[in-house]
Amino acid sequence: MNRPVLARIPVLLQCILAGCASLATLDPAGSPLPTEAAPMTPPYPYEVLKGIRYIDDGNPNHDLTIYLPDHAYRKPAAVLIPGGENFPEFITFFSERGYTVLSSRVRNDTYQKETGDVFCSVAWTHTSAGEYGVETDQLVVVGGSMLGGTVATLASIDDTSPYMGGCPHAMPEADRVQGVVAFAGVFDYFEDDFFPGFIGNVAEFFGGARDDIPKVWADASAISWIDGSEPPFLLLHGMEDTNVYPHQSEIFADVLEEAGVDGELVMIPGEGHSSLIRSEAALAAMLAWLEEKFQ
């Protein structure tokens, strides 16, 4: 694994050195469109399918929306973003470039509920998304900050059953996802790589302090589960992040490398915690990674 990989991503390097005029003008890197597709460049047309329920219990936080590009321009990978409704620019960017994007709402009052909803939305995608024309054999899950750690755990944990209570869909035992992208992810809650007070602030979210229920905190740390069987990872982190320090992604990248997992770490100059997922450089880096991994 080569780290950092800024020099290996021409679109990202171009953005850093010259600046990108706007997200709409970024051209996709990698393979050309299939020959049968009409000769056009992004934005590609796509359909928005709203009001889908991955748990039909009346809770609005169990809604899911699918952004389905026209079949002539559709890329092989589908991208699932738990909590994606908070990042409309992200959804538009990838939908307009031919990627099927699924955005699921999740509850965020406790770690157990949030993780269960993330896992269940993935299970729903495998059991039901085909009814909407979504292919899931190349499914990439994306998360930021604590949800970045959650999607990493999803791809790494041995047994998902503790989080599947109340989910009416079966989680695949293997090949749950074929790729993971984490923006400024939290991968190890036993490091002190956070703004002062963070660990105390999230104690209620976990149901107890770190010293009182260490197993819960350890199970929530994706770094605990890496064994070499994981899919490819892309880790993106802003170099100016003072909420979740870049060291979180650096140590996780080291663990992936030691386990032989295909991983890339991209450090984005000038970006902080909140701005990262809207950064043109970060979006270009993810686009280049998708084009490389999913042809």
Side-chain angles (χ1 to χ4, degrees), residues 136-159:
T136 59
D137 58 337
Q138 296 196 72
L139 180 64
V140 176
V141 64
V142 180
S145 194
M146 292 176 71
L147 277 173
T150 301
V151 297
T153 299
L154 165 78
S156 309
I157 195 168
D158 298 327
D159 179 14

Side-chain angles (χ1 to χ4, degrees), residues 274-288:
S274 298
S275 66
L276 178 66
I277 201 165
R278 296 178 174 88
S279 160
E280 292 184 354
L283 294 177
M286 180 174 162
L287 182 63

Side-chain angles (χ1 to χ4, degrees), residues 3 22 28 41 50 61 63 70 72 91 102 111 117 164 185 200 207 223 242 249 254 257 288:
R3 300 188 295 109
S22 70
T41 57
K50 295 184 177 181
N61 287 315
D63 281 352
D70 185 277
I91 291 171
L102 303 96
Y111 168 74
D117 286 352
M164 298 299 291
I223 205 165
T242 56
S249 289
D254 287 340
E257 183 175 31

Side-chain angles (χ1 to χ4, degrees), residues 77-94:
V79 178
L80 172 63
I81 320 166
E85 73 278 359
N86 297 312
F87 309 105
E89 307 96 333
F90 181 100
I91 291 171
T92 298
F93 180 84
F94 287 99

Side-chain angles (χ1 to χ4, degrees), residues 96-112:
E96 288 184 346
R97 282 155 181 80
Y99 287 94
T100 300
V101 179
L102 303 96
S103 173
S104 64
R105 292 180 177 271
V106 295
R107 296 169 295 173
N108 59 6
D109 46 342
T110 71
Y111 168 74
Q112 291 76 10

Side-chain angles (χ1 to χ4, degrees), residues 3-282:
R3 300 188 295 109
V5 296
L6 295 177
R8 298 179 57 235
I9 302 178
V11 177
L12 173 58
L13 188 60
Q14 180 183 0
C15 287
I16 292 173
L17 296 180
C20 294
S22 70
L23 293 183
T25 60
L26 280 174
D27 291 328
S31 300
L33 289 174
T35 55
E36 65 269 18
M40 69 176 291
T41 57
Y44 302 146
Y46 63 92
E47 181 181 6
V48 181
L49 308 175
K50 295 184 177 181
I52 300 168
R53 309 281 299 165
Y54 67 92
I55 302 178
D56 193 10
D57 60 357
N59 190 323
N61 287 315
H62 290 148
D63 281 352
L64 185 146
T65 302
I66 299 175
Y67 302 79
L68 193 65
D70 185 277
H71 196 275
Y73 309 102
R74 198 176 304 170
K75 299 297 179 67
V79 178
L80 172 63
I81 320 166
E85 73 278 359
N86 297 312
F87 309 105
E89 307 96 333
F90 181 100
I91 291 171
T92 298
F93 180 84
F94 287 99
S95 298
E96 288 184 346
R97 282 155 181 80
Y99 287 94
T100 300
V101 179
L102 303 96
S103 173
S104 64
R105 292 180 177 271
V106 295
R107 296 169 295 173
N108 59 6
D109 46 342
T110 71
Y111 168 74
Q112 291 76 10
K113 289 180 181 179
E114 182 177 80
T115 303
D117 286 352
V118 172
F119 284 30
C120 192
S121 65
V122 171
W124 177 91
T125 302
H126 282 285
T127 62
S128 306
E131 300 173 12
Y132 299 89
V134 178
E135 298 181 6
T136 59
D137 58 337
Q138 296 196 72
L139 180 64
V140 176
V141 64
V142 180
S145 194
M146 292 176 71
L147 277 173
T150 301
V151 297
T153 299
L154 165 78
S156 309
I157 195 168
D158 298 327
D159 179 14
T160 63
S161 61
Y163 300 102
M164 298 299 291
C167 180
H169 313 289
M171 179 73 83
E173 293 184 6
D175 297 324
R176 297 168 203 148
V177 296
Q178 285 68 52
V180 179
V181 179
F183 287 76
V186 178
F187 306 109
D188 188 350
Y189 286 97
F190 289 88
E191 292 284 331
D192 293 321
D193 294 330
F194 314 104
F195 67 85
F198 171 82
I199 294 298
N201 289 350
V202 299
E204 183 176 354
F205 180 68
F206 279 108
R210 185 169 63 181
D211 292 340
D212 296 335
I213 51 171
K215 186 179 185 306
V216 173
W217 291 68
D219 287 351
S221 300
I223 205 165
S224 304
W225 299 105
I226 302 301
D227 62 8
S229 63
E230 289 75 24
F233 276 77
L234 175 64
L235 310 178
L236 297 152
H237 218 115
M239 294 177 68
E240 308 304 320
D241 195 331
T242 56
N243 285 6
V244 178
Y245 302 157
H247 184 244
Q248 275 285 302
S249 289
E250 292 170 346
I251 60 173
F252 193 60
D254 287 340
V255 169
L256 293 177
E257 183 175 31
E258 291 168 4
V261 178
D262 180 358
E264 292 189 26
L265 170 62
V266 180
M267 307 296 286
I268 308 294
E271 298 297 344
H273 193 70
S274 298
S275 66
L276 178 66
I277 201 165
R278 296 178 174 88
S279 160
E280 292 184 354

